[in-house]
Amino acid sequence: MVSIEGMADFWERLFGAQPDPPPLLVVLTGLVALLVVVTRLPWRIARNAITIAHEGGHALVAVLTGRKLHGIRLHSDTSGLTLSAGRPTGPGMVLTLLAGYLAPPLVGLGGAWLLAGNRITLLLWIAVLLLLAMLVMIRNLYGALTLVIVGGAVLAVSWYASPQVQAAFAWTGVWFLLLGGVRPVVELQRLRARRGMPASDADQLAGITPLPAFFWVVLFGLVNLTVLVTGGLMLAGPLLAEAGLT
């Protein structure tokens, strides 16, 4: 039976604030995340995390707008698919399609807000809970294995790792979501320019609104860049404080 003291320690560990990270950690984790985003093989592997956030964004907004969520599939080529039922047009469908490319940096922004308050363990546990919630809706083996591996890694770090390792892991992950949200938008437009992508989120939005697909691609890019700058300033708080700029 768990004692009152044990529960108090657990809640303190979960909601308590960790010490401010060294400014060097903020810089190094940002550089590591940037290196992963701009290099081919690391990006090819780490892009699965962006796909998880992308499809999770579709799924969450579909449910919030009253659509019936049928399931999510994650594929080994880092693509994904979220199936929902409801009106094929209208605000609900527009918001559901919009959510995919915007979700990774917006999730990163939420993470940056938590890290700005040094709530590292809370951030990691929220990530685990979101991954578990998404696992329920996964409809293929690769997707399930991916979520179990990612969720298990985050849980292990949150429970067993030292505060320093937790901080490095959390800052790298949040930097990656913020930075990694920009590259898929660039890749999307490159693919569209070469051969067209009638099934892309932007092209589907063009099919149910009066606005062309390029408008939606630009919107994805502008929002994600704005979120990157905002989240980056939050993450750089210890660095700015060291420089006397806050």
Side-chain angles (χ1 to χ4, degrees):
M1 186 172 181
V2 180
S3 66
I4 295 176
E5 292 81 4
M7 285 299 298
D9 289 342
F10 172 78
W11 289 113
E12 174 61 28
R13 180 176 181 180
L14 182 60
F15 291 101
Q18 284 76 24
D20 287 336
L24 182 60
L25 180 142
V26 176
V27 175
L28 290 179
T29 54
L31 290 175
V32 168
L34 179 61
L35 185 63
V36 171
V37 171
V38 300
T39 51
R40 183 171 183 177
L41 182 59
W43 170 249
R44 174 67 178 77
I45 297 170
R47 198 185 194 282
N48 285 286
I50 300 296
T51 303
I52 290 171
H54 181 114
E55 299 305 329
H58 282 315
L60 176 61
V61 175
V63 171
L64 292 177
T65 56
R67 298 180 63 79
K68 183 176 178 58
L69 183 62
H70 286 314
I72 304 167
R73 300 177 69 89
L74 304 175
H75 304 134
S76 59
D77 63 355
T78 73
S79 66
L81 178 66
T82 298
L83 295 174
S84 64
R87 287 185 58 194
T89 60
M93 190 63 190
V94 170
L95 291 173
T96 299
L97 289 170
L98 268 175
Y101 280 97
L102 303 184
L106 287 175
V107 171
L109 183 64
W113 179 74
L114 288 171
L115 291 182
N118 291 330
R119 298 303 197 275
I120 298 171
T121 304
L122 179 59
L123 167 64
L124 297 176
W125 275 65
I126 289 174
V128 171
L129 291 176
L130 290 175
L131 290 168
L132 283 175
M134 189 171 174
L135 180 61
V136 175
M137 296 308 302
I138 289 292
R139 295 295 181 262
N140 66 323
L141 180 60
Y142 178 83
L145 287 174
T146 299
L147 287 182
V148 168
I149 291 170
V150 174
V154 177
L155 180 62
V157 169
S158 70
W159 196 255
Y160 297 109
S162 67
Q164 295 80 7
V165 172
Q166 286 189 20
F169 183 87
W171 252 268
T172 302
V174 172
W175 273 122
F176 176 72
L177 287 171
L178 291 169
L179 292 163
V182 176
R183 179 165 174 172
V185 179
V186 177
E187 293 175 340
L188 170 63
Q189 184 54 29
R190 285 178 178 170
L191 289 172
R192 290 189 65 260
R194 275 186 295 198
R195 63 174 185 267
M197 293 182 65
S200 76
D201 294 348
D203 288 275
Q204 289 185 67
L205 282 164
I208 62 174
T209 68
L211 300 167
F214 184 68
F215 168 85
W216 297 107
V217 175
V218 171
L219 180 64
F220 295 155
L222 290 176
V223 172
N224 290 2
L225 286 171
T226 301
V227 172
L228 168 59
V229 172
T230 305
L233 289 173
M234 290 182 181
L235 291 178
L239 190 63
L240 297 174
E242 175 104 339
L245 298 176
T246 59

